Amino acid sequence: MSTDADPVLDELSNLVFEMTRRLRDDFNESAAELSLPPTQALALVYLSAPAPMRELADRLSCEPSNVTAIVDGLESRGLVTRQPDPSDRRVKHVTLTGEGERHRAELGSRNRAKVAAVFNLSAPDRSQLRDLLSRALDDSS
C-alpha cells in the first residue's frame, strides 16, 4: 500500500470528518430542543427494543458504570424503566416508557429534517452517495 500523498484521499477524509461534525452538531441540537443531553438522546435512539444495560453501554461506547448515570437521568424524567431479566435477575433491561417512545419519535423526526437539509441532493445522487459510502465501508472491513 502506497503512503504517497493523495490529494483526493485527503479531501475525502476532510469532507467525511466535516460531514460527521455537521451531523453530530445537528443531532445534538435536536436533542437540546427536547432538553436532552446528547448521550441520553443517543440512548433513546438505540433503545428500539428493551436492551441490557451492558449492551447499551457497548452501543454508546462507554463503560457500564457510565451508562448507569445516563439511564438514571432518563429514568428520572420518566423516559425509561429498568426491568430484571427473567432468566438472570442480575441483568437489568432498559425499556422505553410511553413518554420515552414519544421523545424517541420526536427526536427522530427533528433529526430527519436536519439530515434532509444536510443531504440536499437529488434522490438519485443521495442513492449513489449511499451506495458509494456503503461499498467503501464494506471494502474496508
Side-chain angles (χ1 to χ4, degrees):
M1 175 178 256
S2 174
T3 58
D4 296 338
D6 181 341
V8 172
L9 284 177
D10 290 344
E11 189 174 1
L12 276 170
S13 177
N14 290 336
L15 287 167
V16 169
F17 275 111
E18 178 58 24
M19 184 61 70
T20 301
R21 184 200 60 78
R22 188 174 300 173
L23 290 169
R24 183 192 61 236
D25 289 350
D26 285 349
F27 178 83
N28 291 348
E29 183 179 300
S30 294
E33 290 166 358
L34 295 171
S35 302
L36 288 168
T39 53
Q40 287 183 10
L42 271 176
L44 288 181
V45 168
Y46 291 144
L47 285 171
S48 56
M53 295 212 15
R54 178 166 294 285
E55 181 181 313
L56 187 56
D58 290 344
R59 296 290 312 267
L60 293 170
S61 299
C62 69
E63 294 296 320
S65 60
N66 293 342
V67 85
T68 299
I70 295 166
V71 172
D72 285 348
L74 290 168
E75 195 171 42
S76 72
R77 295 179 60 159
L79 303 177
V80 301
T81 60
R82 291 174 229 221
Q83 304 294 323
D85 183 306
S87 62
D88 185 349
R89 297 191 59 76
R90 296 169 296 174
V91 175
K92 300 291 186 211
H93 285 257
V94 183
T95 305
L96 290 175
T97 63
E99 188 62 22
E101 291 279 0
R102 284 187 286 284
H103 269 70
R104 183 177 190 274
E106 181 63 23
L107 179 63
S109 176
R110 289 172 187 244
N111 199 54
R112 275 189 296 281
K114 291 177 184 346
V115 169
V118 169
F119 292 105
N120 188 20
L121 304 167
S122 68
D125 284 349
R126 280 195 310 265
S127 293
Q128 183 179 18
L129 178 58
R130 179 209 55 215
D131 294 345
L132 288 169
L133 289 171
S134 180
R135 195 169 79 212
L137 286 170
D138 288 346
D139 290 348
S140 68
S141 350

